[in-house]
Amino acid sequence: MELTLGIPALLFPAISLTMLAYNARYLAIAALIRQLHQKYQETASPSVGLQVQKLRKRLTIIKNMQATAIVSFLLAVITMALIYADLIFWASLIFSISLFALMISLVLSLIEVQLSTKALEIQLKDMEK
């Protein structure tokens, strides 16, 4: 298969939409942390403390998701420049790394969703008492 300018360009909308989704997750978690911080100051509840621990971990994962998505985007742009310069071997290599970075970002997203579910389980257990 021949690597053309159109192939890495296909990643642009996918990565952009992915980054928007990651940013929405970040903003939602930031708002939740602010709420939980206030609640923890008022009650010092252990379940709130557990939720905060999970949220801290999730924020780190989201930061890494965003970073790898940005690296993927940047490498796709570099790939296009290399294709334009007719350096096909390097373009193919950089594009492969770009796809790998995008896969890492998506795996991190899956991990973050799993942590999100665990945090909700903590909240549900607390409500059942």
Side-chain angles (χ1 to χ4, degrees):
M1 183 174 97
E2 185 178 335
L3 187 60
T4 63
L5 282 172
I7 294 172
L10 289 173
L11 286 183
F12 285 22
I15 295 171
S16 297
L17 289 173
T18 301
M19 289 174 59
L20 280 172
Y22 292 169
N23 193 39
R25 283 183 183 174
Y26 174 81
L27 292 173
I29 290 174
L32 184 56
I33 287 173
R34 288 182 185 95
Q35 290 174 357
L36 287 175
H37 179 263
Q38 182 178 358
K39 184 177 178 181
Y40 186 75
Q41 285 182 329
E42 294 169 0
T43 65
S45 167
S47 71
V48 173
L50 285 172
Q51 288 180 54
V52 169
Q53 288 175 355
K54 298 282 186 197
L55 289 172
R56 179 177 285 125
K57 193 172 189 176
R58 287 177 60 197
L59 276 178
T60 301
I61 292 171
I62 289 173
K63 176 185 69 172
N64 292 330
M65 287 164 34
Q66 290 174 326
T68 55
I70 290 167
V71 167
S72 178
F73 203 169
L74 180 63
L75 292 175
V77 171
I78 291 170
T79 298
M80 293 178 73
L82 291 170
I83 291 170
Y84 186 74
D86 206 25
L87 299 169
I88 301 304
F89 170 78
W90 292 107
S92 296
L93 180 66
I94 298 298
F95 187 63
S96 298
I97 296 169
S98 174
L99 290 175
F100 184 70
L102 184 57
M103 285 189 297
I104 290 171
S105 180
L106 294 172
V107 168
L108 288 172
S109 178
L110 177 64
I111 292 168
E112 193 273 332
V113 167
Q114 296 300 316
L115 283 175
S116 172
T117 303
K118 287 179 184 176
L120 288 174
E121 287 173 8
I122 291 169
Q123 183 108 22
L124 289 172
K125 285 180 185 178
D126 189 45
M127 289 171 48
E128 290 173 353
K129 291 180 181 178

